[in-house]
Amino acid sequence: MSKQTDTNTLWGGRFAEPTDQFVQRFTASVEFDQRMAAEDIQGSRAHADMLCAVGVLSDAEREQIQSGLDQVAAEIAAGEFHWSIEREDVHMNIEARLTELIGNTGKKLHTGRSRNDQVATDIRLHLRAAIDAIGAELTRLQRGTIGLAAEHCATIMPGFTHLQTAQPVVFGHHLLAWNEMLERDYGRLMDCRARLNQSPLGAAALAGTTYPIDREMTARALGFDRPTANSLDSVSDRDFAIEFCSFAALLMTHLSRMSEELVLWTSAQFNFVELPDRFCTGSSIMPQKKNPDVPELVRGKVGRVNGHLISLLTLMKSQPLAYNKDNQEDKEPLFDTIDTVLGSLRAFADMVPAIRPRAAQMREAARRGFSTATDLADYLVRKGLPFRDAHEVVGKAVAHGVASGADLAEMSLVTLQGFSDEIDADVFDVLTLEGSVAARDHLGGTAPRQVQAAADAALQRLSARTQ
Ligand code: ARG
């Protein structure tokens, strides 16, 4: 028997000639879907147990299959499994090896199932495990971010709009803004998990199967909440992969925003923070350089993740029901998204708690940028001026400051009174940076005591997580 005829034993009955060698390589997925081997075996175990429970397999056959799968799993774990392109994908490689090991009983495993429901089950199991790992890394990053925020509830820095100095804030407040983005990402991740956690097993090729299968049993065994409701949808649905990639695109967008700020802040021009050397590299030519590689690389990785989202959306667009071979193209974008997100989160979770803010530089930058101008306007409003008039008065004072090189707090009382006779000596309380932040003393504001409370609340939310 030639090698190629042997190749087609899984469907060879109908075929008069072997698959073209190039087509065989072109259509094979084993090179990338072998990473779902553990889930494939897990699914097969649940299926075999169920077939036995409903009387399709005998106890002896069930046991033979389970111990054969033990051996297959051991070979894979030991790196001794021979993956073969001729066996196309992870499912057929494992089934064929099982049959080599235990003989004809191995051929019974595929009773009442198809690779279509098998692959849908494997991807969901694989992605669910990845989601749990990603959830744990995200939680670790949030814990580190909140921890750093709690240490810097009174560390003053300039807050920006249009990247121009706007009003003073505390560094902890800025970090907790990052945490809010991540908190929403975590919520989206868990929503995705809840929707994907249904078992397609039993949908078979597309229409279900004639055997008396127990789909509740396999769903339970695999930790799914319930079986999916419609067999056609079960084998064709890839919403969960798209939903995950949407989550990932948004998370990576957030990490890129954090990255961008770190890149700016570590520059000599800002000099707001220092990253430990272990997260940076030097230049081969410029001895003075210390480049923020980790944030830059994470910022750059958004591109591929956004690309994968578009790949999957385009893959599914206009696909007729039910399974189409197109769907084999779902795996590489999905797997790369998982790996990219996990790597980026790991780097950030390690790096963020190690950020060392330069409090004096931040404070100086806040002081220099007329960041308490709004406070002066609010002061004049409290003295009875309409806000628009107060805005005008302060605008003139700032123009004077720009011309003379003095910040508002550095002008004499007489100079300030030249702009409005409503100004008294108590004005200096509001012109200080500490006075400015302390005055924003409400839920969500930057007053140190509010930021402290927000950090505590954020930590509480993390502790309430079950995943
Ligand atoms: N390797 C295939 C995939 O990844 C498995 C399902 C193939 N089913 C089929 N009828 N060709 O989608």
Side-chain angles (χ1 to χ4, degrees), residues 4-193:
Q4 287 208 341
T5 315
D6 179 50
T7 298
N8 292 334
T9 46
L10 285 135
W11 58 69
R14 188 204 184 289
F15 285 71
E17 62 174 356
T19 314
D20 177 272
Q21 288 224 329
F22 171 71
V23 169
Q24 190 169 66
R25 265 182 286 130
F26 186 67
T27 54
S29 55
V30 66
E31 274 172 22
F32 49 84
D33 66 15
Q34 58 180 264
R35 80 180 247 170
M36 302 192 303
E39 291 84 5
D40 196 68
I41 291 172
Q42 200 187 348
S44 289
R45 288 186 189 286
H47 183 65
D49 283 348
M50 183 278 290
L51 288 179
C52 177
V54 301
V56 173
L57 289 180
S58 69
D59 283 337
E61 288 169 334
R62 187 197 73 84
E63 266 158 43
Q64 250 186 305
I65 289 175
Q66 296 294 2
S67 62
L69 289 172
D70 286 344
Q71 181 161 348
V72 173
E75 287 176 4
I76 294 171
E80 285 159 8
F81 191 92
H82 172 66
W83 297 102
S84 135
I85 291 259
E86 287 133 40
R87 289 170 177 175
E88 194 180 317
D89 58 22
V90 62
H91 324 292
M92 297 211 287
N93 267 269
I94 289 177
E95 189 189 323
R97 178 64 185 144
L98 177 70
T99 301
E100 274 172 10
L101 289 169
I102 67 168
N104 276 340
T105 308
K107 297 183 188 166
K108 294 193 175 183
L109 173 61
H110 213 52
T111 313
R113 84 173 176 187
S114 148
R115 279 185 298 151
N116 298 351
D117 61 341
Q118 195 178 350
V119 71
T121 305
D122 292 2
I123 309 171
R124 285 180 192 242
L125 289 173
H126 190 78
L127 182 54
R128 189 181 68 192
I131 286 175
D132 292 343
I134 288 167
E137 281 301 77
L138 190 47
T139 301
R140 190 163 75 89
L141 169 57
Q142 287 189 256
R143 202 174 290 287
T145 306
I146 299 165
L148 189 62
E151 283 173 41
H152 293 284
C153 293
T155 304
I156 288 176
M157 68 180 288
F160 299 94
T161 60
H162 313 269
L163 204 57
Q164 310 286 317
T165 299
Q167 292 171 353
V169 296
V170 295
F171 185 51
H173 197 49
H174 195 114
L175 292 169
L176 289 179
W178 287 1
N179 182 58
E180 288 301 309
M181 303 181 200
L182 300 173
E183 181 75 18
R184 291 191 294 275
D185 290 325
Y186 187 85
R188 274 183 283 272
L189 183 67
M190 289 304 120
D191 288 350
C192 173
R193 189 190 196 283

Side-chain angles (χ1 to χ4, degrees), residues 370 397-408 410-411 415 419:
F370 298 98
V398 168
H400 173 76
V402 171
S404 61
D407 188 57
L408 294 174
E410 293 161 350
M411 292 179 194
T415 307
F419 300 105

Side-chain angles (χ1 to χ4, degrees), residues 56 129 141 167 222 247-248 252 280 315 357 382 428:
V56 173
L141 169 57
Q167 292 171 353
L222 295 172
F247 146 81
M252 292 302 293
C280 302
L315 176 67
R382 283 196 297 277
F428 292 105

Side-chain angles (χ1 to χ4, degrees), residues 141-440:
L141 169 57
Q142 287 189 256
R143 202 174 290 287
T145 306
I146 299 165
L148 189 62
E151 283 173 41
H152 293 284
C153 293
T155 304
I156 288 176
M157 68 180 288
F160 299 94
T161 60
H162 313 269
L163 204 57
Q164 310 286 317
T165 299
Q167 292 171 353
V169 296
V170 295
F171 185 51
H173 197 49
H174 195 114
L175 292 169
L176 289 179
W178 287 1
N179 182 58
E180 288 301 309
M181 303 181 200
L182 300 173
E183 181 75 18
R184 291 191 294 275
D185 290 325
Y186 187 85
R188 274 183 283 272
L189 183 67
M190 289 304 120
D191 288 350
C192 173
R193 189 190 196 283
R195 255 187 300 280
L196 87 68
N197 202 30
Q198 302 186 2
S199 175
L201 207 55
L206 76 165
T209 175
T210 55
Y211 299 93
I213 56 169
D214 182 348
R215 297 192 60 212
E216 300 280 354
M217 180 180 168
T218 43
R220 243 189 339 269
L222 295 172
F224 287 118
D225 295 330
R226 69 191 74 88
T228 50
N230 178 295
S231 66
L232 295 171
D233 179 54
S234 305
V235 294
S236 80
D237 170 37
R238 294 294 182 274
D239 290 5
F240 54 86
I242 295 176
E243 219 179 314
F244 172 77
C245 287
S246 311
F247 146 81
L250 204 37
L251 168 71
M252 292 302 293
T253 298
H254 292 150
L255 295 184
S256 83
R257 297 182 64 185
M258 295 159 67
S259 294
E260 176 73 3
E261 293 186 328
L262 289 172
V263 170
L264 286 171
W265 292 348
T266 51
S267 70
Q269 289 69 23
F270 272 81
N271 199 20
F272 281 7
V273 305
E274 191 171 357
L275 291 179
D277 291 354
R278 64 184 182 279
F279 299 105
C280 302
T281 63
S283 157
S284 55
I285 176 168
M286 296 169 284
Q288 85 284 10
K289 290 298 287 285
K290 176 175 163 183
N291 298 325
D293 288 55
V294 168
E296 286 176 86
L297 192 57
V298 168
R299 187 176 60 182
K301 282 187 185 292
V302 185
R304 66 205 283 164
V305 170
N306 287 354
H308 296 327
L309 171 61
I310 298 299
S311 295
L312 289 185
L313 284 167
T314 312
L315 176 67
M316 295 313 293
K317 179 188 173 295
S318 313
Q319 250 200 58
L321 289 170
Y323 177 85
N324 299 282
K325 181 76 171 180
D326 312 41
N327 285 358
Q328 186 165 290
E329 284 287 297
D330 60 359
K331 287 167 205 62
E332 288 162 292
L334 180 64
F335 295 161
D336 188 66
T337 302
I338 291 170
D339 295 342
T340 305
V341 164
L342 261 177
S344 303
L345 280 174
R346 179 181 169 170
F348 255 72
D350 289 347
M351 180 181 67
V352 165
I355 293 172
R356 290 195 293 267
R358 296 181 189 279
Q361 311 281 350
M362 287 182 172
R363 194 175 198 293
E364 180 55 21
R367 207 188 56 76
R368 261 187 280 114
F370 298 98
S371 64
T372 56
T374 316
D375 298 82
L376 178 56
D378 290 343
Y379 169 89
L380 289 170
V381 167
R382 283 196 297 277
K383 298 271 175 170
L385 254 68
F387 183 77
R388 277 289 150 234
D389 294 343
H391 188 284
E392 169 86 17
V393 167
V394 179
K396 287 188 174 137
V398 168
H400 173 76
V402 171
S404 61
D407 188 57
L408 294 174
E410 293 161 350
M411 292 179 194
S412 69
L413 182 58
V414 178
T415 307
L416 287 169
Q417 283 172 334
F419 300 105
S420 167
D421 46 20
E422 300 291 347
I423 295 177
D424 292 314
D426 61 353
V427 73
F428 292 105
D429 297 342
V430 307
L431 292 183
T432 64
L433 297 170
E434 283 72 16
S436 173
V437 293
R440 285 159 173 81

